């Protein structure tokens, strides 16, 4: 859960600074009316576009998990 908490903290910090812009939802074309609500915030499409993709591309284009754990992690269960 530490990685999830750190991800949420990163998104919240970037959102508070105004670095995550509200963009139209790809399926509806509508802006997220709750984008600036701190209890709801940006949707995953916007987080992917403005947080996940740029940060992982800057580190070589791997997944968020591999960006955090270059050698991977042991897995006991995978669904």
């Amino acid at each position: 859960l530490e990685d999830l908490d750190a991800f949420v903290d990163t998104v919240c910090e970037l959102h508070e600074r105004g670095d995550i812009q509200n963009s139209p939802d790809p399926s509806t074309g509508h802006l997220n009316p709750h984008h600036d609500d701190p209890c709801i915030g940006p949707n995953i499409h916007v987080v992917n576009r403005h947080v996940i993709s740029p940060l992982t591309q800057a580190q070589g284009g791997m997944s968020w998990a591999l960006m955090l754990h270059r050698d991977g992690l042991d897995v006991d269960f995978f669904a």
Side-chain angles (χ1 to χ4, degrees), residues 15-52:
H15 189 243
E16 288 171 5
R17 287 191 342 214
D19 292 340
I20 302 175
Q21 301 169 7
N22 196 359
S23 302
D25 183 298
S27 62
T28 66
H30 297 119
L31 292 175
N32 175 4
H34 307 290
H35 179 82
D36 295 321
D37 182 337
C39 294
I40 299 173
N43 64 40
I44 192 61
H45 303 290
V46 172
V47 170
N48 187 52
R49 182 177 303 130
H50 295 285
V51 180
I52 298 170

Side-chain angles (χ1 to χ4, degrees), residues 2-3 7 12 16 33 55 60 63 69:
E2 291 173 22
D3 289 347
F7 175 74
C12 287
E16 288 171 5
L55 291 177
S63 71
H69 306 281

